[in-house]
Amino acid sequence: MPERRSAREVIALVADDFAEIPSPARQSGPDGPLTWQGYDASLARAAERTGEAESVVCGTAHVAGVRAVLIAFEFGFLGGSLGERTGDRLEAAYTYAREQRLPVVPLVATGGSRMQEGMLALTQLQRVARQSALTREAGLPQIAVLRDPTTGGGWATLGAGADVVLALPGAQVGFAGSRVRPPDADPSAYTAEAQVAAGAADAVVAEEGLRDTLGRWLRLLMSASSEPAPAPAPLGATELPATGWDAVRRARSPERPRARAYLDAYFTHRVAVSGDRCGGTDPGMLCGFGERDGRTVAYAAQTGTATRPAGYRTASRLIRLADRLGIPVLTLVDTPGAANDAEAERQGAGAAIADLFVTVAAVRTPVTTLLIGEGGSGGALALAAPGNTYATPDSYFSVIAPESAAAILKRPPREAEATADQLRIRPQDLVELGVVREPGT
């Protein structure tokens, strides 16, 4: 179990020049809104033990040079639980962030809602959700850090509801706290590492790297731009293929440069988002934000494998976030097609692809696409920008793989090569057909 730092200690770990945001005053009768016997005494003991007046400390600070609103939970104050006064502080912090155009960084450590305030405590989650939604609509990023423990409504609002979710190693993370889980529940499922593996969080970050990581994220997400991302230069072949089958063989060559090589060459540095927030991840879809010539570009890149439903959902999540923040997007297309096994169907392949098509079609931020390898049917086209797609000389784009096209047309396998020519899938064919753009246009 990681060291459980106080709210002030975790603020000092990640930020400088912290200044508290004034807390609203709330009058309450003896022992709170439910007149819960002994509640006032519990509050007094919590205040004496922690030196805090409530379970959250809210203020502004510089994180690696970027000013942000920090919301730090004090777990020693009644388990970091949320009550009405907590809700008042959270609402004030989010409101201040919108007024000052600042990102929000919740440093979460909470057991959930405060039982001594009953349903009035639980409804604070609705207040938090409303403030988070307003901040999202304002185009301001929210980056959560999950400390130990992050459970209950705090996880389901401030934590999981953030744009980017980072977690400390070994932190207990889950909707169910340790005292209310089924007795036979696997404890390893309620960890930061398990949430990353399940696509509910983006990364586990050690304490010693947290300040730099947060600063990098904040700098990237606070750098809006209306200029489209330039298409990367081809890294592989420079000569166009002579035939359709030549294009297929080049695109399938294991020596051809893949997405990581293009991303390494394109960005000075980058950070990754991971997971579809629906229980899945796909290592064949790389998503994140990077710096290119001093400005931020979001990226979603296929790695040459059949893309899983979680990959499409992660790409949709990435592009929607970039759109809200006003950040241009680069997509790299490289897949033989969408995964079509039974498990992919059970995971909602069709719906995930449909959602990505709609996401790309609806965004206001500019999207630039480079076809770097295989462009297999709708599973590849879903990631491509209409009217702003380019292709490398070692790529092809096809309605279906030539072998499959030949089979559907009841042709023998040996005719797959001729079918490739008929499909007109070479980069130069695609330019002539108006599917992709000439380099430099």
Side-chain angles (χ1 to χ4, degrees):
M1 179 154 318
E3 180 183 356
R4 190 168 284 166
R5 295 182 181 272
S6 70
R8 305 279 174 175
E9 287 173 338
V10 77
I11 290 170
L13 180 71
V14 302
D16 299 308
D17 306 321
F18 180 74
E20 283 193 60
I21 295 170
S23 303
R26 176 183 286 268
Q27 300 299 321
S28 180
D31 286 330
L34 304 187
T35 62
W36 185 289
Q37 187 174 0
Y39 182 38
D40 281 350
S42 295
L43 291 172
R45 287 194 298 272
E48 183 178 2
R49 182 170 56 251
T50 63
E52 305 295 347
E54 246 307 326
S55 60
V56 290
V57 178
C58 304
T60 61
H62 287 88
V63 181
V66 182
R67 190 165 176 250
V69 167
L70 270 57
I71 296 171
F73 278 74
E74 176 52 70
F75 190 77
F77 194 103
L78 301 182
S81 57
L82 281 76
E84 287 186 305
R85 294 191 310 185
T86 323
D88 293 341
R89 289 186 172 211
L90 294 173
E91 186 174 69
Y94 274 100
T95 300
Y96 187 87
R98 292 193 298 275
E99 291 172 348
Q100 301 296 316
R101 302 293 305 165
L102 297 176
V104 180
V105 180
L107 305 165
V108 189
T110 174
S113 300
R114 195 168 297 170
M115 290 177 295
Q116 296 93 331
E117 296 186 22
M119 279 301 300
L120 293 175
L122 191 64
T123 58
Q124 301 310 304
L125 303 182
Q126 294 173 321
R127 290 180 74 186
V128 172
R130 173 64 175 163
Q131 292 303 312
S132 178
L134 291 172
T135 304
R136 187 177 295 113
E137 290 174 7
L140 296 168
Q142 300 168 65
I143 304 174
V145 176
L146 312 181
R147 298 154 55 211
D148 184 63
T150 298
T151 61
W155 164 229
T157 52
L158 288 151
D163 298 315
V164 176
V165 182
L166 308 176
L168 295 181
Q172 178 188 173
V173 180
F175 186 65
S178 59
R179 298 185 183 182
V180 295
R181 297 171 194 157
D184 59 347
D186 178 6
S188 67
Y190 302 85
T191 63
E193 290 76 7
Q195 297 295 350
V196 172
D202 292 293
V204 172
V205 181
E207 277 194 351
E208 56 268 26
L210 187 57
R211 178 189 289 247
D212 289 342
T213 300
L214 271 176
R216 190 175 302 117
W217 270 109
L218 290 167
R219 283 191 297 273
L220 288 169
L221 297 190
M222 289 297 288
S223 299
S225 172
S226 61
E227 291 297 315
L235 298 179
T238 57
E239 298 295 322
L240 291 169
T243 68
W245 194 247
D246 285 339
V248 172
R249 286 191 298 104
R250 284 188 184 187
R252 293 176 180 174
S253 169
E255 282 77 40
R256 172 182 56 79
R258 305 286 164 148
R260 283 187 174 84
Y262 276 91
L263 296 175
D264 288 344
Y266 192 81
F267 291 113
T268 305
H269 64 86
R270 64 185 191 271
V271 292
V273 303
S274 176
D276 63 359
R277 299 299 185 260
C278 299
T281 60
D282 178 6
M285 181 73 81
L286 307 178
C287 294
F289 295 83
E291 183 180 279
R292 163 80 176 186
D293 295 333
R295 67 192 187 102
T296 302
V297 174
Y299 64 87
Q302 292 166 318
T303 64
T305 60
T307 305
R308 310 293 305 177
Y312 292 114
R313 284 191 286 262
T314 304
S316 294
R317 173 191 159 216
L318 180 280
I319 295 169
R320 285 194 295 266
L321 175 57
D323 191 37
R324 286 205 315 269
L325 301 178
I327 294 172
V329 177
L330 170 70
T331 65
L332 301 179
V333 172
D334 185 9
T335 180
N340 58 7
D341 56 89
E343 186 59 29
E345 295 295 342
R346 281 191 287 266
Q347 293 170 357
I353 296 169
D355 184 50
L356 181 55
F357 267 117
V358 170
T359 299
V360 172
V363 293
R364 298 156 297 178
T365 198
V367 181
T368 302
T369 298
L370 180 65
L371 174 66
I372 64 171
E374 292 195 81
S377 195
L381 187 64
L383 198 61
N388 200 32
T389 293
Y390 301 83
T392 65
D394 43 11
S395 67
Y396 78 89
F397 223 143
S398 181
V399 64
I400 195 168
E403 299 94 332
S404 299
I408 291 170
L409 295 171
K410 300 182 180 179
R411 296 175 176 178
R414 65 178 180 275
E415 293 194 23
E417 295 186 21
T419 302
D421 280 329
Q422 287 182 288
L423 290 169
R424 301 196 64 193
I425 61 179
R426 300 175 303 170
Q428 60 266 45
D429 297 325
L430 300 172
V431 170
E432 190 173 320
L433 292 168
V435 176
V436 305
R437 299 177 63 174
E438 287 268 19
T441 62

